[in-house]
């Protein structure tokens, strides 16, 4: 039976690190590094609390075990200065509501006041520390700052997958001073983005999109040995199309990536990986709402026009290629989906992914937003909470926030 907060993918310990269930936290102070870096509107109201919700299993487990729960996170980029608009104060209220429990707020994440608030905690109490990045030492992974954080606790738990690609004091340095374990969310992210990717049920299809080839080349290179099909849409597709000798008008292109694009296509061909590019596009003369648009085949992108979304024939082609998939991973929009006129391709693919009889994994902020906006997020098996971190994992690289945790004996 899967334990609480666990997914049962049948994958044996892909993490290799201690998890929160392996450490004796009853009656102890536990420092949980969470990712509460949520979007706020101008009135500092949280517009999407999914990152907070996704870490609740870890927090609730620690409360239920009778630990003294100390929560820490960054929010935004205050660049080492105290900036009220990046305060974690709005998170206190939301946590209070979600946990149905009092949450005490420490106005600084280190120092005598934080220490005295911790000293007053009873088993099962929750304390939230103010933004870690109000101190420049956090991003510098400063040893003394890491020590000051560690002084607050007996154990360290990292559940901040979204920050795991950064070696900061609260994600890396602190682990030198405390026994360190992964939270449930961290474990789940690794199980999907590493475990499933390395042991997929086939056919395994990767859909990549977004602006540039250069941003996804590492992912493509790593996945080229693992997938059965690759579908490329978005701005990055046109560098491939141009490298194949087609005219692409004024579409986005990275000429310096031609050689790499060609060698990737060659590698995919050799590996017998099916490779799909858009066969048609929505084109316009400018990236503006209200611009005149037309649908043209890939062979007929006119001069002076740029391809800003995949066209209906590409949607059909890509959706058909997804039909047989048993595992799908999707990162990056199919067009400039922020503008209505160029959003149809992305939303249509969101529906096709959601409708597939497959285990589906979505990563990256834009793609996450797109599946929510398309109203299909509930039909996706797993939506990663990390942008940069998920890309780095898909590139086959280790994440410093995970490497730093204590090894499972
Ligand atoms: P990325 O951060 O690389 O995943 O890129 C996401 C961005 O790519 C989004 O803001 C899209 O507007 C943009 N994008 C997607 N398709 C195109 C395209 N055909 N031309 C220009 N930009 C695009």
């Amino acid at each position: 039976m899967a334990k609480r907060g666990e997914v049962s993918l049948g994958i044996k310990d892909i993490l290799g690190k201690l998890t929160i269930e392996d450490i004796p936290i009853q009656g102890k102070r536990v420092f949980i590094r969470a990712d509460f870096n949520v979007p706020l509107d101008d009135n500092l109201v949280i517009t999407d609390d999914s990152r907070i919700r996704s870490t609740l299993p870890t927090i609730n487990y620690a409360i239920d075990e009778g630990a003294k729960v100390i929560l820490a996170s960054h929010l935004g980029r205050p660049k080492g200065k105290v900036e009220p608009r990046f305060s974690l104060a709005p998170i206190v209220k939301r946590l209070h509501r979600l946990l149905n429990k009092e949450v005490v707020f420490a106005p600084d994440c280190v120092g005598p006041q934080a220490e005295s608030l911790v000293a007053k905690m009873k088993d099962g109490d929750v304390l939230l520390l103010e933004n870690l990045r109000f101190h420049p030492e956090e991003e510098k992974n400063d040893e003394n700052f890491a020590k000051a954080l560690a002084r607050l606790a007996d154990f360290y738990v990292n559940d901040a997958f979204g920050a795991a690609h950064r070696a900061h004091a609260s994600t890396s340095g602190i682990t030198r001073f405390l026994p360190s374990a992964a939270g449930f969310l961290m474990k789940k992210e690794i199980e999907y983005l590493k475990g499933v990717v390395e042991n997929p049920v086939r056919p395994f299809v990767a859909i990549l999109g977004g602006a540039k080839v250069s941003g996804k080349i590492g992912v493509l290179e790593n996945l080229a040995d693992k997938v059965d099909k690759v579908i490329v849409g978005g701005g990055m597709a046109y560098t491939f199309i141009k490298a194949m000798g087609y005219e692409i008008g004024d579409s986005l292109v990275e000429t310096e990536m031609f050689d790499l694009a060609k060698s990737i296509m060659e590698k995919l061909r050799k590996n017998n990986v099916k490779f799909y590019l858009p066969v048609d596009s929505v084109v316009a003369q400018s990236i503006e709402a209200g611009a005149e648009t037309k649908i043209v085949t890939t062979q007929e992108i006119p001069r002076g026009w740029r391809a800003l979304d995949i066209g209906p024939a590409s949607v059909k082609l890509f959706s058909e290629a997804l039909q047989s998939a048993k595992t799908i991973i999707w990162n990056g929009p199919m067009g400039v989906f922020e503008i209505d006129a160029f959003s149809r391709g992305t939303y249509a693919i969101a529906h096709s992914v959601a409708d597939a009889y497959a285990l589906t994994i979505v990563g990256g902020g834009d793609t996450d937003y797109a599946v929510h906006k398309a109203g299909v997020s509930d039909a996706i098996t797993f939506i990663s909470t990390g942008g940069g971190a998920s890309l780095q994992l898909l590139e086959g690289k280790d994440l410093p926030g995970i490497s730093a945790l204590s090894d499972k004996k």
Side-chain angles (χ1 to χ4, degrees), residues 215-265:
K216 305 273 156 74
I217 197 78
V219 176
L220 254 174
E221 278 177 331
N222 184 43
L223 291 182
D225 295 324
K226 301 181 168 55
V227 294
D228 301 291
K229 308 184 193 189
V230 173
I231 294 172
V232 169
M236 63 186 281
Y238 302 93
T239 294
F240 285 96
I241 292 169
K242 178 89 179 173
M244 289 161 71
Y246 291 96
E247 281 314 312
I248 55 164
D250 286 356
S251 307
L252 205 59
V253 67
E254 290 171 281
T255 44
E256 69 284 4
M257 298 302 287
F258 281 173
D259 287 344
L260 258 179
K262 282 186 200 159
S263 75
I264 286 276
M265 287 191 281

Side-chain angles (χ1 to χ4, degrees), residues 309-324:
D309 192 11
I310 58 171
S314 309
V315 167
K316 273 210 171 127
L317 174 73
F318 292 177
S319 302
E320 188 135 358
L322 291 174
Q323 286 288 313
S324 63

Side-chain angles (χ1 to χ4, degrees), residues 11-12 22 29 33 50 52 69 80 110 134 145 165 168 171 174 199 255 269 317 333 339 342 358 360 388:
I11 295 163
K12 291 270 176 290
D22 298 321
R29 301 167 301 162
R33 172 55 158 109
S50 26
I52 303 178
V69 184
V110 286
F134 281 177
F145 182 71
H165 58 313
H168 291 167
T171 58
I174 188 170
N199 303 282
T255 44
R269 202 186 54 75
L317 174 73
I339 298 176
F342 314 118
T360 50

Side-chain angles (χ1 to χ4, degrees), residues 323-336:
Q323 286 288 313
S324 63
K326 290 271 177 6
T327 306
I328 301 172
I329 185 146
W330 179 22
N331 190 305
M334 297 289 102
V336 182

Side-chain angles (χ1 to χ4, degrees), residues 118-303:
V118 169
K120 285 188 202 131
M121 290 176 83
K122 297 193 187 67
D123 295 354
D125 280 357
V126 180
L127 175 76
L128 175 67
L129 305 177
E130 180 56 289
N131 198 336
L132 293 156
R133 290 195 189 163
F134 281 177
H135 293 264
E137 296 89 348
E138 159 66 358
E139 290 183 76
K140 290 188 187 135
N141 198 5
D142 177 88
E143 179 164 339
N144 286 328
F145 182 71
K147 242 187 223 166
L149 292 173
R151 240 194 324 271
L152 301 173
D154 305 300
F155 290 101
Y156 169 79
V157 170
N158 192 349
D159 216 23
F161 176 73
H165 58 313
R166 311 268 185 228
H168 291 167
S170 70
T171 58
S172 172
I174 188 170
T175 64
R176 309 230 312 270
F177 308 107
L178 292 175
S180 305
F184 293 120
L185 172 64
M186 186 69 95
K187 185 168 175 239
K188 198 166 160 186
E189 293 272 6
I190 302 298
E191 284 180 331
Y192 278 101
L193 292 170
K194 196 167 170 196
V196 171
V197 167
E198 283 174 11
N199 303 282
V201 181
R202 295 183 181 281
F204 177 21
V205 185
I207 312 170
L208 295 176
K212 291 185 172 175
V213 179
S214 49
K216 305 273 156 74
I217 197 78
V219 176
L220 254 174
E221 278 177 331
N222 184 43
L223 291 182
D225 295 324
K226 301 181 168 55
V227 294
D228 301 291
K229 308 184 193 189
V230 173
I231 294 172
V232 169
M236 63 186 281
Y238 302 93
T239 294
F240 285 96
I241 292 169
K242 178 89 179 173
M244 289 161 71
Y246 291 96
E247 281 314 312
I248 55 164
D250 286 356
S251 307
L252 205 59
V253 67
E254 290 171 281
T255 44
E256 69 284 4
M257 298 302 287
F258 281 173
D259 287 344
L260 258 179
K262 282 186 200 159
S263 75
I264 286 276
M265 287 191 281
E266 183 56 24
K267 185 172 179 187
L268 293 172
R269 202 186 54 75
K270 274 201 191 130
N271 288 356
N272 200 21
V273 174
K274 310 289 180 283
F275 183 54
Y276 296 89
L277 284 167
V279 289
D280 64 344
S281 301
V282 178
V283 296
Q285 285 163 303
S286 60
I287 310 183
E288 276 171 326
E292 184 196 344
T293 62
K294 48 187 183 179
I295 295 162
V296 297
T297 64
T298 295
Q299 288 83 348
E300 297 180 27
I301 301 174
R303 250 191 223 142

